[in-house]
Amino acid sequence: MSGPASDSGRPAVALIGGGRIGRIHAGNAAAHPALSLKYVIDPFGAAAAQLASRYGASATTLERALADPAVAGVIVASPTDQHLAQCLQAAAAGKAIFCEKPVDLSVERARSAAGALAGARLFLGFNRRFDPSFRALREKLQAGVIGSLETLHIISHDPAPPPVSYIKVSGGLFKDMTIHDFDVARWLLAEPVVEVYAMAACLVDPAIGAADDIDTAKVLLRTASGRMALISNSRRSGYGYDQRIEAFGSGGSVRVDNLTATTVAVWGEEGATRAPFQNFFLERYAEAYRLEMDHFAAVLSGEEPSIRFTDGVQALELAEAAGRSHATGRPVALSGGA
Amino acid sequence: MSGPASDSGRPAVALIGGGRIGRIHAGNAAAHPALSLKYVIDPFGAAAAQLASRYGASATTLERALADPAVAGVIVASPTDQHLAQCLQAAAAGKAIFCEKPVDLSVERARSAAGALAGARLFLGFNRRFDPSFRALREKLQAGVIGSLETLHIISHDPAPPPVSYIKVSGGLFKDMTIHDFDVARWLLAEPVVEVYAMAACLVDPAIGAADDIDTAKVLLRTASGRMALISNSRRSGYGYDQRIEAFGSGGSVRVDNLTATTVAVWGEEGATRAPFQNFFLERYAEAYRLEMDHFAAVLSGEEPSIRFTDGVQALELAEAAGRSHATGRPVALSGGA
Amino acid sequence: MSGPASDSGRPAVALIGGGRIGRIHAGNAAAHPALSLKYVIDPFGAAAAQLASRYGASATTLERALADPAVAGVIVASPTDQHLAQCLQAAAAGKAIFCEKPVDLSVERARSAAGALAGARLFLGFNRRFDPSFRALREKLQAGVIGSLETLHIISHDPAPPPVSYIKVSGGLFKDMTIHDFDVARWLLAEPVVEVYAMAACLVDPAIGAADDIDTAKVLLRTASGRMALISNSRRSGYGYDQRIEAFGSGGSVRVDNLTATTVAVWGEEGATRAPFQNFFLERYAEAYRLEMDHFAAVLSGEEPSIRFTDGVQALELAEAAGRSHATGRPVALSGGA
Amino acid sequence: MSGPASDSGRPAVALIGGGRIGRIHAGNAAAHPALSLKYVIDPFGAAAAQLASRYGASATTLERALADPAVAGVIVASPTDQHLAQCLQAAAAGKAIFCEKPVDLSVERARSAAGALAGARLFLGFNRRFDPSFRALREKLQAGVIGSLETLHIISHDPAPPPVSYIKVSGGLFKDMTIHDFDVARWLLAEPVVEVYAMAACLVDPAIGAADDIDTAKVLLRTASGRMALISNSRRSGYGYDQRIEAFGSGGSVRVDNLTATTVAVWGEEGATRAPFQNFFLERYAEAYRLEMDHFAAVLSGEEPSIRFTDGVQALELAEAAGRSHATGRPVALSGGA
């Protein structure tokens, strides 16, 4: 199965959203040898026009883009509260979909859309799953290099907190930030999570607490067979973007460390200092975003999406459970697992 | 204040217990320029005699050793169930005491002895506090190098599980193994712990589960001000002794990594392989044990013990709280903090 | 000053050479937002046609490409013995030039062309100068982070030797492989080299010795002020591509280590094993090749080339001096410095 | 064969020299379970008396110590110009000898003593050979882990230069500092060195140059079979004591890195900073000095010395060859190898 082709002979895609992540996807789609970026859609017409012109695409509306039979796929990089509606629209138009995380901030709403999206060729963009180091870690796990996986530590600390205005519409730490780590945990644990306990606090910035959110959390997950995972989150590390995983198994451990921009080190009286860690996700996951676009091109050529809408729903269920655990001070059991 | 002197002019000490850790302390006491090892006490007379003769000491009974006015201090390295009684005896005889962890397996019993031991010159041997790397980490924290401490990760995985016969009398994972980490957490958090949550399982060896114990645990602690600590334990790492700490603060992070026996690395087709981690506590904490003996010598010269009996009781309270949390599946609040 | 534009509005370039490095440059030129790849020239017509069609370019002859006023620049990635003639032709046609190293295998010939090329906008592609880590090292040196540079170690070991058929036409180790390191040394020493001593041998493969070449060398350079540099070369490392630099100065040291494809590490009984080093130059210098093309685009827009033809001649002079040192067993003085 | 015993039943040793290294050996001999430190000999009577009293030994003269039949061995830690005479005296008295490096500053004198010392139980204290990491590296080489050894890099940079008064009597860089590295090279190359080339300069301190010495050197060695070694020396690193080895073989590489006092690292905005390297030889080789004393105790019990007087002479020959190479600007051939 393969999608319709643009004039260039390459399948055309439309991008919704000209913000930070939208611009990344625009560049990757435009540079991709098997894709052609045809449309950019953004309510801020000027932003859409500027981004479109940079890559020889046109600014338009979602309706028009969906009506164009040359458009094979839609990239949903809009604000979270529009994801579901746009996915449903694109799916109804028969387009393949590459949707940014999270699918929605409400488990209920997300679940209610699951039926309509079940048949869609929808690929959910959890960037960690495309990071070469995390992939290599998973391959080691699957190859049995450390025997049977027992426990997992996921460290995910941001360099610095976002503006409080963003925090207020973010859905909160668990749905906005930990959502990535819930997905990574599900991906690596390879078993349904049956219990969630979250210990969290506002330690970084009182304004975040005033906005009724937390900025620091330790979340424990447990699977049916007894595997355990820790997720450590902070909105501010003070040393760059900390994205590490340690997996402990019956025969050893496999781990991924942080990336530095260069391998330069300075040796002086005070010790040996390595280059700082890459600062944030646009650098740290640059390669992952390129590989996501590769995968979307493959989906447009008929490959099965590797991350489905339901993965997004289940990560959201874990986020909601973590929120309840934090609110009640108790572990939360997930009857069906997530 | 200074203790009585032996013939050599150095204060004499008596060692109770000729097992693995007793032999370490015997060697360190004998080699210490400011101490003289005079007696070794062990119910297995042959073991006591052999160890004593190796260092020019004598095998004897506790009663006789305590009756010898030349004996300034007693090292309690017997099985845990004898610690309390022997400490009380030694304290009654006016001797300084260097007692191995844990003080007892029962918080009740330990508390009931606290009064009688309050005035004793008792130093409790939590080896981690003497490890040069952990000490350096604490100095960095105290110097404010990472601003205000927010959270802590303590990784403490043994290379391989002890025999099940040992497990059965060990008091269980929390009192036998995590006890060290509870003390480290207390030492570094520098605030009373008010909440404990333990997620644990038997993943390593079913025989440990059959002995009603667990072998794998993730424990979360919270202090009154909101600081959080994770303790990760496993009875079997598969890659040597894993003893690491990461401290996250408002201005960065400070961490201690594992030690290797040498710095040799081999570069080959498969990658760069460093020497294995030091295998277990006798190597990893060899220097800490020497520094403990330095401190005991200082205590004999009048210095205040840096770790008191009450520290041992409070670590035990955390262990008991962790056990209750594991048993009930809920966080346990510590009214007074520990 | 800016070159002529292609239909796309971006300056057009012609690529000579469809081999391994030519294909890299083709991809980078085609993907570059400020360049358009218009022609591919290769005596193997089929190779040229295939490479050209992949990027929407045309296969043609050098004469026709140079006659096209739309062509602003020429990339010379042909076999070394054609570099000079093609550069002269392109320069005569007024085109900017991006020439691969080395400029030639003969210092005499290269020098004799220097006059004719003096006015050309010629940029010489020594990839190391564009590697982000090496660049960062040089910036540290220039910023005085280690005070005054005193000595330099350049480690440059290939993973495995090329076929002997290649060795025979390569010009020998010093002109083919060390040429890069001579340029790096010149770039970092920032002073003319006045003395060269080469200790070399055939240790890797007797067939290389039979072809009258060496495969292992330690070369020492000295500048007028007394700075010293070691270059270590081997045609076969047995552990991937070893590309490191250590610079020692009056106030410390700055160094660049090897790159690994991922940051995955496995901890097991035998030690901690990191992912292997990147295997060879196509991976190790992938980013450098992209940045070279960036620079060529800048040259087409009027920027001064950062590496000139004379840099190539001087690196060649060092290579020739090293050859003489190896042949005579004595250090070779460079009267004018190089 | 075993030496005479002291009152304690342990063989007695006499130490000549109460300077920095003498004090290290005194402590190690006194603490050694199989040795007894009986005498300390030093022309500065007060220094000898103070050191002796610290370990329950007596200050005396060499003559008296040698006349004491209880003395089984003599540790020669005096200034270099006395080594030979004292070794000869001790050998004549039938004592085993542990002599510090270098054996002398004159190859001629050293050679002329070789006959008289040939039968002595003399162990030469090249500390690097006892460093656990260097030993482990050699074991890897001998086990064939990297196939056949081809080349070697020995980095040996001091943290800071000694006083010029010391430089003046030191015999110069090659005999005072590089002497260690010459021995390490001989030990690892496992073949006679047939050629030496030294490029050297005074870059660190003009006062060293004024004293007719150099402070920075790169020395190349070659063996008969073509193995090559680089020795890099500097009297001042600016980052602590730099003691590394890299050995390159047909099947990979094995290396030893610097040691740090602790494993503490701080992660901050500027990067990740490890603890400084150990500052100098007293810390870096503390364990090596202990293991040297172990070996001397074994020699006293009849074991063959692992480093002979002739090893010291040959290291000295390499040092003299390096000096000639530096003076003449040419490689120096060693007819018989060293």
Side-chain angles (χ1 to χ4, degrees):
Chain A
M1 178 186 80
S2 106
S6 73
D7 295 349
S8 67
R10 294 173 294 186
V13 298
L15 167 74
I16 315 175
R20 198 159 49 168
I21 190 67
R23 288 194 295 271
I24 294 287
H25 291 323
N28 288 337
H32 200 283
L35 294 176
S36 141
L37 179 67
K38 189 161 185 186
Y39 298 115
V40 175
I41 298 127
D42 196 292
F44 296 94
Q50 190 190 6
L51 185 58
S53 82
R54 186 167 166 194
Y55 296 108
S58 316
T60 187
T61 62
L62 180 54
E63 288 64 32
R64 284 190 197 142
L66 294 180
D68 182 344
V71 169
V74 175
I75 301 166
V76 179
S78 51
T80 298
D81 60 2
Q82 302 168 31
H83 286 181
L84 270 190
Q86 290 166 345
C87 284
L88 290 166
Q89 253 182 294
K95 311 297 187 190
I97 302 162
F98 169 6
C99 181
E100 266 302 320
K101 52 65 45 180
V103 291
D104 196 78
L105 295 179
S106 152
V107 171
E108 299 314 310
R109 274 200 307 269
R111 275 191 194 134
S112 71
L117 291 171
R121 283 170 301 139
L122 186 152
F123 153 57
L124 192 59
F126 276 124
N127 55 10
R128 272 79 168 163
R129 293 207 197 188
F130 288 86
D131 176 73
S133 289
F134 290 167
R135 277 189 176 185
L137 179 145
R138 185 162 179 263
E139 282 158 20
K140 298 278 186 194
L141 290 182
Q142 291 182 321
V145 167
I146 61 162
S148 169
L149 175 67
E150 293 171 354
T151 76
L152 200 62
H153 290 184
I154 299 170
I155 313 288
S156 176
H157 295 192
D158 282 355
V164 172
S165 58
Y166 173 87
I167 294 279
K168 285 178 178 163
V169 299
S170 70
L173 185 89
F174 296 127
K175 290 182 183 173
D176 178 57
M177 182 173 170
T178 328
I179 193 86
H180 279 296
D181 309 306
F182 287 127
D183 182 64
V184 169
R186 290 187 63 248
W187 183 51
L188 296 177
L189 289 169
E191 286 184 358
V193 171
V194 299
E195 188 183 350
V196 178
Y197 176 74
M199 188 177 272
C202 174
L203 300 177
V204 170
D205 182 355
I208 294 177
D212 221 19
D213 200 2
I214 49 176
D215 49 34
T216 312
K218 310 285 175 187
V219 182
L220 291 177
L221 308 179
R222 194 202 304 253
T223 70
S225 85
R227 288 178 174 170
M228 294 179 268
L230 164 81
I231 297 170
S232 176
N233 281 163
S234 170
R235 285 283 193 188
R236 179 264 300 116
S237 73
Y239 53 84
Y241 198 29
D242 193 353
Q243 296 283 297
R244 289 174 291 150
I245 300 178
E246 300 189 353
F248 302 96
S250 57
S253 168
V254 58
R255 65 204 47 240
V256 163
D257 208 338
N258 289 310
L259 292 170
T260 56
T262 71
T263 65
V264 166
V266 173
W267 291 6
E269 298 287 354
E270 304 306 311
T273 302
R274 288 192 297 154
F277 301 133
Q278 287 182 345
N279 188 59
F280 213 1
F281 63 94
L282 297 180
E283 295 83 42
R284 174 67 175 80
Y285 293 113
E287 181 67 9
Y289 292 127
R290 275 193 286 272
L291 293 169
E292 283 184 346
M293 199 56 70
D294 266 358
H295 182 59
F296 191 45
V299 167
L300 289 177
S301 298
E303 201 171 283
E304 279 298 302
S306 63
I307 315 177
R308 311 302 310 245
F309 183 77
T310 49
D311 290 301
V313 177
Q314 292 189 292
L316 198 57
E317 284 174 355
L318 293 179
E320 205 154 272
R324 260 183 295 145
S325 173
H326 172 58
T328 61
R330 294 197 179 170
V332 168
L334 291 149
S335 51
Chain B
M1 178 185 80
S2 107
S6 73
D7 296 349
S8 68
R10 294 174 292 187
V13 297
L15 167 74
I16 316 176
R20 198 160 49 167
I21 190 66
R23 287 194 295 270
I24 295 287
H25 291 322
N28 288 336
H32 200 283
L35 295 176
S36 141
L37 179 66
K38 190 161 184 185
Y39 298 115
V40 175
I41 297 127
D42 195 293
F44 295 94
Q50 189 190 7
L51 185 58
S53 82
R54 187 168 164 193
Y55 295 108
S58 315
T60 187
T61 63
L62 180 55
E63 289 64 31
R64 285 190 197 143
L66 294 179
D68 182 346
V71 169
V74 175
I75 301 167
V76 178
S78 51
T80 299
D81 60 2
Q82 302 168 30
H83 286 181
L84 271 189
Q86 291 166 345
C87 284
L88 290 166
Q89 253 182 294
K95 311 298 188 189
I97 302 162
F98 169 6
C99 180
E100 266 302 319
K101 51 65 44 179
V103 292
D104 196 78
L105 295 180
S106 152
V107 171
E108 300 314 311
R109 273 199 308 269
R111 274 190 195 136
S112 71
L117 291 171
R121 282 170 301 138
L122 186 150
F123 154 56
L124 192 60
F126 276 125
N127 54 10
R128 272 76 169 165
R129 292 208 199 188
F130 288 86
D131 176 73
S133 290
F134 290 168
R135 277 188 176 186
L137 179 145
R138 185 161 178 264
E139 282 158 20
K140 298 278 186 194
L141 291 181
Q142 290 182 321
V145 168
I146 62 162
S148 168
L149 176 67
E150 292 171 355
T151 76
L152 201 61
H153 289 184
I154 299 169
I155 314 289
S156 178
H157 294 192
D158 282 354
V164 171
S165 58
Y166 174 87
I167 295 279
K168 285 177 178 163
V169 299
S170 71
L173 185 89
F174 297 127
K175 290 182 183 173
D176 178 58
M177 181 172 171
T178 328
I179 193 84
H180 279 296
D181 310 306
F182 286 127
D183 182 65
V184 169
R186 291 186 63 248
W187 183 51
L188 297 177
L189 288 170
E191 286 184 358
V193 171
V194 299
E195 188 182 352
V196 179
Y197 176 73
M199 188 178 271
C202 174
L203 300 177
V204 170
D205 183 355
I208 294 176
D212 220 19
D213 201 1
I214 50 177
D215 49 35
T216 311
K218 311 285 174 187
V219 182
L220 291 177
L221 309 178
R222 193 203 304 253
T223 70
S225 85
R227 288 178 174 170
M228 295 178 267
L230 164 80
I231 297 169
S232 177
N233 282 163
S234 170
R235 285 284 193 187
R236 179 264 300 115
S237 73
Y239 53 83
Y241 198 29
D242 193 354
Q243 296 284 295
R244 288 174 291 150
I245 300 178
E246 300 190 352
F248 303 95
S250 57
S253 168
V254 57
R255 65 204 47 242
V256 162
D257 208 337
N258 289 311
L259 293 169
T260 55
T262 71
T263 66
V264 166
V266 174
W267 291 5
E269 298 287 355
E270 304 307 311
T273 302
R274 288 191 295 154
F277 300 134
Q278 287 182 346
N279 188 60
F280 213 1
F281 63 93
L282 297 180
E283 294 85 40
R284 174 67 175 83
Y285 292 114
E287 180 67 9
Y289 292 127
R290 276 192 287 270
L291 294 169
E292 282 184 345
M293 200 56 71
D294 265 359
H295 182 60
F296 191 44
V299 167
L300 289 177
S301 298
E303 202 170 282
E304 280 298 301
S306 63
I307 314 177
R308 311 301 309 245
F309 183 76
T310 49
D311 290 302
V313 177
Q314 292 190 293
L316 196 59
E317 284 174 354
L318 293 179
E320 205 155 271
R324 259 182 297 143
S325 173
H326 172 58
T328 62
R330 294 198 179 171
V332 167
L334 291 149
S335 51
Chain C
M1 182 184 78
S2 105
S6 73
D7 296 351
S8 68
R10 294 174 293 186
V13 297
L15 167 74
I16 316 175
R20 199 160 48 167
I21 190 67
R23 288 195 295 271
I24 295 287
H25 291 322
N28 287 337
H32 200 284
L35 294 177
S36 142
L37 179 67
K38 189 159 184 187
Y39 299 115
V40 175
I41 297 126
D42 195 294
F44 296 94
Q50 189 189 6
L51 185 58
S53 83
R54 187 166 165 195
Y55 295 109
S58 316
T60 187
T61 63
L62 179 54
E63 288 65 32
R64 284 192 198 140
L66 295 179
D68 183 345
V71 169
V74 175
I75 301 167
V76 178
S78 51
T80 298
D81 59 3
Q82 301 168 30
H83 287 181
L84 272 189
Q86 290 165 345
C87 284
L88 289 166
Q89 253 183 294
K95 311 299 187 189
I97 302 163
F98 170 4
C99 180
E100 266 301 322
K101 51 63 50 180
V103 290
D104 195 77
L105 295 180
S106 152
V107 170
E108 300 314 309
R109 273 200 307 270
R111 275 190 195 136
S112 70
L117 292 171
R121 283 170 299 138
L122 186 152
F123 154 56
L124 192 60
F126 276 125
N127 55 11
R128 271 79 168 163
R129 292 208 198 187
F130 289 86
D131 176 73
S133 289
F134 291 168
R135 277 189 175 185
L137 179 145
R138 185 161 178 263
E139 282 158 19
K140 298 279 187 194
L141 290 182
Q142 291 183 321
V145 168
I146 61 162
S148 168
L149 176 66
E150 292 172 353
T151 76
L152 202 60
H153 289 186
I154 300 169
I155 313 288
S156 177
H157 294 193
D158 282 355
V164 172
S165 58
Y166 174 86
I167 294 279
K168 286 178 179 164
V169 299
S170 71
L173 184 89
F174 296 128
K175 290 183 183 173
D176 178 58
M177 182 174 172
T178 328
I179 193 84
H180 279 297
D181 309 306
F182 287 127
D183 183 65
V184 169
R186 290 187 65 246
W187 182 52
L188 297 178
L189 288 170
E191 284 184 0
V193 171
V194 298
E195 189 184 349
V196 178
Y197 176 74
M199 189 178 270
C202 174
L203 300 176
V204 170
D205 183 355
I208 293 175
D212 220 19
D213 201 3
I214 48 175
D215 50 33
T216 311
K218 309 286 174 185
V219 182
L220 291 178
L221 309 179
R222 193 204 304 253
T223 70
S225 85
R227 288 179 174 168
M228 295 179 268
L230 165 81
I231 297 169
S232 177
N233 281 161
S234 170
R235 285 285 192 186
R236 179 265 299 114
S237 74
Y239 53 83
Y241 198 29
D242 193 354
Q243 297 284 295
R244 289 174 291 150
I245 299 179
E246 299 190 352
F248 302 96
S250 57
S253 168
V254 58
R255 65 205 48 244
V256 163
D257 208 337
N258 289 310
L259 294 169
T260 55
T262 71
T263 66
V264 166
V266 174
W267 291 5
E269 299 287 355
E270 304 305 312
T273 301
R274 288 191 295 154
F277 300 134
Q278 287 182 346
N279 189 57
F280 213 0
F281 63 94
L282 298 179
E283 295 84 40
R284 174 66 175 83
Y285 292 114
E287 181 67 9
Y289 292 126
R290 275 193 286 270
L291 294 169
E292 282 184 345
M293 200 55 72
D294 266 358
H295 182 59
F296 192 44
V299 167
L300 289 176
S301 299
E303 202 171 284
E304 281 298 301
S306 63
I307 315 178
R308 310 302 308 246
F309 183 76
T310 49
D311 289 302
V313 177
Q314 292 190 292
L316 196 58
E317 285 173 355
L318 293 180
E320 206 156 270
R324 261 183 295 144
S325 173
H326 172 57
T328 62
R330 294 198 179 169
V332 167
L334 291 150
S335 51
Chain D
M1 184 184 76
S2 108
S6 72
D7 296 350
S8 67
R10 293 174 294 187
V13 297
L15 167 74
I16 315 176
R20 199 160 49 168
I21 190 67
R23 289 195 294 272
I24 295 288
H25 291 322
N28 287 337
H32 200 283
L35 294 177
S36 143
L37 179 67
K38 189 160 185 187
Y39 298 115
V40 174
I41 298 128
D42 196 292
F44 296 93
Q50 190 190 6
L51 185 58
S53 83
R54 187 168 165 194
Y55 295 110
S58 315
T60 188
T61 63
L62 180 54
E63 288 65 33
R64 284 192 196 140
L66 294 180
D68 182 345
V71 169
V74 175
I75 300 167
V76 179
S78 51
T80 298
D81 59 3
Q82 302 169 30
H83 287 181
L84 271 189
Q86 291 165 345
C87 284
L88 289 167
Q89 254 183 293
K95 312 298 187 190
I97 302 162
F98 169 5
C99 180
E100 265 302 321
K101 52 63 51 181
V103 290
D104 195 78
L105 295 180
S106 152
V107 170
E108 300 315 309
R109 274 199 308 270
R111 274 191 195 135
S112 70
L117 291 171
R121 283 170 299 140
L122 186 152
F123 153 56
L124 192 59
F126 276 126
N127 55 10
R128 272 77 168 164
R129 293 208 199 187
F130 289 86
D131 177 73
S133 290
F134 290 168
R135 277 189 175 185
L137 178 145
R138 185 161 177 262
E139 282 158 20
K140 299 279 187 193
L141 290 181
Q142 291 183 320
V145 168
I146 62 162
S148 167
L149 175 67
E150 292 172 354
T151 75
L152 201 62
H153 290 185
I154 299 170
I155 314 288
S156 177
H157 294 192
D158 282 356
V164 172
S165 58
Y166 173 87
I167 294 278
K168 286 178 179 164
V169 300
S170 71
L173 184 89
F174 296 129
K175 290 182 183 173
D176 178 59
M177 182 172 170
T178 328
I179 193 84
H180 278 296
D181 310 305
F182 287 127
D183 183 64
V184 168
R186 291 186 63 247
W187 182 51
L188 297 177
L189 289 170
E191 284 184 359
V193 171
V194 298
E195 189 183 349
V196 178
Y197 177 73
M199 188 178 272
C202 173
L203 300 177
V204 170
D205 183 356
I208 293 176
D212 220 20
D213 200 1
I214 49 174
D215 50 33
T216 311
K218 310 286 174 185
V219 182
L220 291 178
L221 309 179
R222 194 203 303 254
T223 70
S225 86
R227 288 178 175 171
M228 293 179 269
L230 165 81
I231 297 170
S232 177
N233 281 162
S234 170
R235 285 284 192 187
R236 179 265 300 114
S237 74
Y239 53 82
Y241 199 29
D242 193 353
Q243 297 283 296
R244 290 174 290 150
I245 299 179
E246 300 190 352
F248 303 96
S250 58
S253 168
V254 57
R255 64 204 47 243
V256 162
D257 208 337
N258 289 310
L259 293 169
T260 55
T262 70
T263 67
V264 166
V266 174
W267 291 5
E269 298 286 354
E270 304 306 311
T273 301
R274 287 191 296 154
F277 301 133
Q278 287 182 346
N279 188 58
F280 213 179
F281 62 94
L282 297 179
E283 295 83 42
R284 174 67 176 83
Y285 292 114
E287 181 67 9
Y289 292 126
R290 275 193 286 270
L291 294 169
E292 281 184 346
M293 200 56 70
D294 266 359
H295 181 59
F296 191 45
V299 167
L300 289 177
S301 299
E303 201 170 286
E304 280 299 302
S306 64
I307 315 178
R308 311 302 308 245
F309 183 75
T310 48
D311 289 302
V313 177
Q314 292 190 292
L316 197 58
E317 284 174 355
L318 293 179
E320 206 156 89
R324 261 183 294 144
S325 173
H326 172 57
T328 62
R330 294 197 178 170
V332 168
L334 291 149
S335 51

